[in-house]
Amino acid sequence: MRAAPTASIVACLVLLLSWLSVRANNPEAEMFDRALAEIDRFAVLENELYRDVFLARTGTLHNYDPVVREIDALHDAIDRLRSTAAIDAETKAAVDRLAASVDRQEQLAEHFKSENALLHNSLSFFVRFSARQASADLNPAISAAAAAMLQLTLDTSPASAQQLKDQLDQLSQQPALRADAAATLEALVAHGLLLHDLLPSVDNTLRTMRAEPRKLDQDALRTLIMTRETASRNLAREYRQVLYVTSLLLVAFLVHLGLKLKSRANALQRRAAFEHLIARISMRFINARPQDIGGEIDRAIADMAACIGSDRAYFVMSGSTQRVHLWCKPGTNAPADWPVYVAALATQFDQTADGIVHVPQVDRLPFGEVRSALVRVGVCGWACVTNTGTDGTVASLGFDAIGRACRITAPGELSLLRMALDTILYAVARHSMETERARLESRLRQARRLERIGTFTSGIAHNFNNLLGGILGHSEVMEERLGSDTRVARNLAAIRRGAESAHDLVDQILAFGRHRDVRPRPLNANALITEATALFKVSLPVGIQVAVHEPPVAAIVSGEPAQLQQVLLNLCSNAAQAVEGSGRIDIGMEVKDLTTAQRFSHAELQPGRYACITISDTGHGMDEATLARIFEPFYTTRSSGNGLGLATVHEIVRDHGGGINVSSAPGQGSHFEVWLPCSPSVETMPDMNAPTITAAQGETVLMVASDAAVLLRDEETLAALGYEPVGLTSLETALSAFRAKPKRFDILIVGPLGPPAASLELATKLHSMASHLPIVLATRATEEISADMLITAGISDVVRWPIIAEEIAAALAHGLSLRETWQRRAPAVSSSKRR
């Protein structure tokens, strides 16, 4: 879930909740309450107004200030109702009607105040005049008029008014007795007539005020407001329901978001853990020895499967170096052919740009061969990444989930699968490079050894051979002349044997320096021991006993019989010399299985089945210093030894893929173990008698060397081997010839061109111009050349200069086989590029 859409959704929900909260609180309720309170106050003010008006009518209220204040208060109440109750047009009209009623009441009140003031003024005059004693004859008439006036004040009906009018008329018709009585009578009648008119008018005004429909207007406005209030409350209740539902949605979304965040956090934790694991695996690959790469790959896929939570993990690689590494969780297994066809199955899916196939749940796939294949091997969830190299090699790294869905879900985790596969591929490539480096270093060691032997022998070979030839020739002539019975003849025979021993020493030196092409074939280790023991016993002194322990099982090893016989004979001879005339030599053999890589005193072996041939003696033994150097060339502890026997043994065993383990202590004898790898079976082994060097078919060889005379001789050697040589003596000429016709040459030989750097420079330039052509370096000195320099220059093999027919034939055959391999890979490379 991306941050921007999530934040937008949360912000919208928060705004919606805020608006719903405001609406759910019913903000108009307070306004409605104020409006209803104002209506109640308005009714109270009207009642007070009517009370004061009636008090004024009865004369109890001496001024009209309360009436004025109440009228003003009614106008203020109308204004407040306009601001609170005028919600819509209907309530506004009701307020307007109520305001019109207040205006009419105000007009009636003003009219009332005017008439009521005259009324009370006249009434006070009438009372005062009626109280005066006019005469005995008028008093009854005045009393009757006062009684009628009193009746009219209580009842302003027309009858009461007519009765007062009649009494006043009678009173006005009475004759006056005195002048002052006449004036009083006239004022009494005048005020009586005025009261006759005012009392009904005032009461009529009061009735008109009471008749105003104020109560109806108030009730109508109250009803409207209460209706609006009820509607507002119902609407607020609906908003509260919507608010509740929206709150539930927000809570659900927040829970969903929390689960998503937790899932993302777990994915990030898994990604970080996987990245750290890949980094650790990469460091382990960097620090691992080349022979340990296979075990490290097994360990790596096991660690990755444990980190991911997979039930099965595997790494499959096709091509020239096929690899199948499979890890299964305890309690699970895999069909025998399952990891092999993973790459073919992956092509049936739509892969990502990184070549990743992700099937979270196999049961959701459409029915077909792909689903059936995954179900058949028990896969419920699958994640796989494939890589196709430029040479057509296909590598796959896969993880299976059995009985559940695949735990790899996040895209970031899937992208790490490519990183994991690349890490393993880099390790395999490094292993291949290290293997090539080891081969080149082996060639360098061979060339350096030959260089040392050649330097040693070149100075003495001519004179030594001349001396040996003269000694042997003269001894043979003298032996023929003297016969075999004389003492001198016996001396001559001793001289001849010494010369022959010297000749044998030269042969051993040449045998040690000569490159041995091991042409293995299946051999019975038991028969090998029996034959070597029989040959050894012939020359064994009388005091030495040889005990051969029959092995419990037979062992088949792959090797060259003559060389392995030389190994056993040399070790037995050394054991006999260590015993010094009296002692015991034990020879035996066992078949042992190594489950892990094991380091011995003078070797390190990988897991596998080995034939362990043991030779023990009861001689004087060796100390640690001597034990550390026994396989060094020319190192010996005997004055009669030459120091090449054990060195040759070590070289032969190493060339056969085995190793030697030696244990010894002074006075406790020595124990030699020769470990030779067992052959899988005789039936599955190739034909060991097939030649290792393919005959030349007229391939063109470009050969460059500064020494023209030696170059001419070497061209003849190459022609005799079946090649077509083209010899050149300078770097510039060679580059020009190669640029002119680059497709003419099949293989290149670079000889000495002055300093060693010049030969490497030419090789580097030729390699940059045609990387598909193998280059053989022929050199006198190899001390300053490293394996990295050879790899950079594209060197496929190193031989001695001047060249030797057997050695250069093997090097050219190896180079041409590499060239054929590259040519076969070229179509796959071009097709992959087109894709």
Side-chain angles (χ1 to χ4, degrees), residues 522-541:
L523 298 173
N524 190 324
N526 302 350
L528 192 67
I529 294 174
T530 302
E531 184 179 352
T533 305
L535 294 174
F536 170 63
K537 286 182 177 180
V538 175
S539 59
L540 190 66

Side-chain angles (χ1 to χ4, degrees), residues 403-560:
R404 54 182 175 78
C406 184
R407 292 184 180 178
I408 303 177
T409 56
E413 294 180 88
L414 292 173
S415 63
L416 291 179
L417 297 183
R418 165 59 58 182
M419 185 185 301
L421 177 61
D422 291 342
T423 301
I424 298 178
L425 290 178
Y426 292 153
V428 173
R430 175 176 169 267
H431 175 255
S432 301
M433 185 182 67
E434 291 292 341
T435 303
E436 181 67 14
R437 185 197 304 274
R439 192 186 67 82
L440 290 174
E441 287 179 348
S442 176
R443 296 291 298 171
L444 278 175
R445 286 195 302 270
Q446 178 72 13
R448 287 165 181 162
R449 182 168 60 249
L450 295 175
E451 181 182 352
R452 290 193 296 268
I453 298 301
T455 301
F456 174 73
T457 58
S458 62
I460 64 172
H462 180 70
N463 294 329
F464 194 66
N465 284 330
N466 288 338
L467 292 174
L468 289 177
I471 293 172
L472 290 173
H474 287 293
S475 62
E476 289 175 359
V477 171
M478 293 179 68
E479 282 182 344
E480 290 178 0
R481 291 182 179 181
L482 294 176
S484 60
D485 297 332
T486 64
R487 181 179 179 181
V488 177
R490 290 193 297 272
N491 293 334
L492 288 174
I495 293 173
R496 181 175 50 81
R497 286 194 299 271
E500 289 175 352
S501 298
H503 187 269
D504 291 340
L505 175 61
V506 174
D507 288 342
Q508 288 190 27
I509 294 174
L510 295 177
F512 175 73
R514 187 182 302 117
H515 176 72
R516 287 176 295 274
D517 287 328
V518 179
R519 300 180 182 180
R521 62 186 179 88
L523 298 173
N524 190 324
N526 302 350
L528 192 67
I529 294 174
T530 302
E531 184 179 352
T533 305
L535 294 174
F536 170 63
K537 286 182 177 180
V538 175
S539 59
L540 190 66
V542 180
I544 300 177
Q545 298 179 358
V546 177
V548 179
H549 303 279
E550 291 294 333
V553 294
I556 303 299
V557 297
S558 177
E560 190 168 332

Side-chain angles (χ1 to χ4, degrees), residues 266-517:
N266 293 335
L268 288 176
Q269 289 178 354
R270 292 195 302 268
R271 178 185 174 89
F274 201 18
E275 287 179 344
H276 292 163
L277 176 61
I278 292 175
R280 291 197 301 270
I281 291 173
S282 180
M283 291 302 299
R284 291 206 303 260
F285 280 140
I286 292 174
N287 297 326
R289 293 170 299 184
Q291 59 269 26
D292 297 337
I293 291 297
E296 287 296 336
I297 293 177
D298 292 334
R299 182 182 174 189
I301 62 174
D303 291 345
M304 286 189 285
C307 181
I308 293 175
S310 176
D311 299 314
R312 273 199 308 251
Y314 39 82
F315 170 73
V316 183
M317 185 174 181
S318 65
S320 58
T321 56
Q322 293 187 358
R323 287 181 175 271
V324 177
H325 298 268
L326 174 64
W327 175 88
C328 294
K329 187 178 180 181
T332 62
N333 53 17
D337 58 343
W338 163 230
V340 177
Y341 64 87
V342 166
L345 186 62
T347 59
Q348 305 297 322
F349 293 87
D350 294 333
Q351 301 181 4
T352 64
D354 293 333
I356 298 174
V357 176
H358 182 219
V359 183
Q361 294 184 0
V362 174
D363 55 1
R364 295 185 178 180
L365 290 175
F367 289 96
E369 296 181 0
V370 175
R371 176 173 175 174
S372 300
L374 292 175
V375 172
R376 182 176 61 84
V377 295
V379 176
C380 294
W382 189 39
C384 179
V385 56
T386 59
N387 179 76
T388 303
T390 56
D391 58 350
T393 301
V394 179
S396 302
L397 176 65
F399 299 92
D400 298 345
I402 302 175
R404 54 182 175 78
C406 184
R407 292 184 180 178
I408 303 177
T409 56
E413 294 180 88
L414 292 173
S415 63
L416 291 179
L417 297 183
R418 165 59 58 182
M419 185 185 301
L421 177 61
D422 291 342
T423 301
I424 298 178
L425 290 178
Y426 292 153
V428 173
R430 175 176 169 267
H431 175 255
S432 301
M433 185 182 67
E434 291 292 341
T435 303
E436 181 67 14
R437 185 197 304 274
R439 192 186 67 82
L440 290 174
E441 287 179 348
S442 176
R443 296 291 298 171
L444 278 175
R445 286 195 302 270
Q446 178 72 13
R448 287 165 181 162
R449 182 168 60 249
L450 295 175
E451 181 182 352
R452 290 193 296 268
I453 298 301
T455 301
F456 174 73
T457 58
S458 62
I460 64 172
H462 180 70
N463 294 329
F464 194 66
N465 284 330
N466 288 338
L467 292 174
L468 289 177
I471 293 172
L472 290 173
H474 287 293
S475 62
E476 289 175 359
V477 171
M478 293 179 68
E479 282 182 344
E480 290 178 0
R481 291 182 179 181
L482 294 176
S484 60
D485 297 332
T486 64
R487 181 179 179 181
V488 177
R490 290 193 297 272
N491 293 334
L492 288 174
I495 293 173
R496 181 175 50 81
R497 286 194 299 271
E500 289 175 352
S501 298
H503 187 269
D504 291 340
L505 175 61
V506 174
D507 288 342
Q508 288 190 27
I509 294 174
L510 295 177
F512 175 73
R514 187 182 302 117
H515 176 72
R516 287 176 295 274
D517 287 328

Side-chain angles (χ1 to χ4, degrees), residues 37-201:
E38 200 63 39
I39 292 175
D40 294 337
R41 185 170 179 272
F42 186 87
V44 172
L45 289 175
E46 278 194 333
N47 291 331
E48 291 178 351
L49 174 64
Y50 297 147
R51 181 199 63 193
D52 293 336
V53 167
F54 284 112
L55 290 177
R57 165 68 176 79
T58 58
T60 306
L61 188 66
H62 300 289
N63 57 61
Y64 297 103
D65 292 339
V67 176
V68 174
R69 288 196 300 271
E70 288 156 359
I71 291 296
D72 294 337
L74 287 175
H75 283 294
D76 294 339
I78 290 296
D79 293 338
R80 284 192 291 272
L81 284 174
R82 290 186 188 277
S83 61
T84 57
I87 302 171
D88 49 25
E90 189 175 2
T91 54
K92 184 177 182 297
V95 173
D96 291 339
R97 289 195 297 271
L98 196 60
S101 175
V102 171
D103 291 338
R104 289 194 296 272
Q105 289 177 5
E106 183 181 11
Q107 294 174 1
L108 292 173
E110 291 296 328
H111 183 68
F112 169 76
K113 288 189 294 181
S114 300
E115 289 184 343
N116 191 58
L118 292 175
L119 186 148
H120 284 283
N121 186 40
S122 297
L123 187 60
S124 61
F125 276 105
F126 185 84
V127 171
R128 186 171 62 249
F129 290 146
S130 63
R132 293 180 181 179
Q133 296 296 325
S135 65
D137 296 333
L138 294 177
N139 287 334
I142 293 173
S143 297
M149 180 62 69
L150 179 60
Q151 179 64 30
L152 184 62
T153 57
L154 298 176
D155 181 15
T156 57
S157 61
S160 300
Q162 185 61 37
Q163 183 179 0
L164 176 61
K165 182 70 170 54
D166 294 340
Q167 293 297 331
L168 291 176
D169 290 341
Q170 293 177 9
L171 187 61
S172 62
Q173 294 175 5
Q174 294 294 330
L177 300 179
R178 295 190 306 273
D180 56 347
T184 300
L185 183 62
E186 183 179 359
L188 180 64
V189 173
H191 285 286
L193 292 174
L194 182 60
L195 290 173
H196 172 269
D197 296 333
L198 288 177
L199 282 172
S201 177

Side-chain angles (χ1 to χ4, degrees), residues 781-824:
T782 59
E783 294 294 339
E784 298 180 357
I785 304 177
S786 64
D788 292 333
M789 296 173 64
L790 295 178
I791 294 175
T792 303
I795 303 299
S796 64
D797 223 324
V798 181
V799 298
R800 289 177 292 175
W801 179 269
I803 64 174
I804 299 174
E806 182 181 357
E807 189 176 14
I808 194 64
L812 292 177
H814 177 259
L816 290 174
S817 65
L818 289 177
R819 181 172 177 268
E820 292 177 359
T821 302
W822 294 338
Q823 288 177 346
R824 286 195 301 270

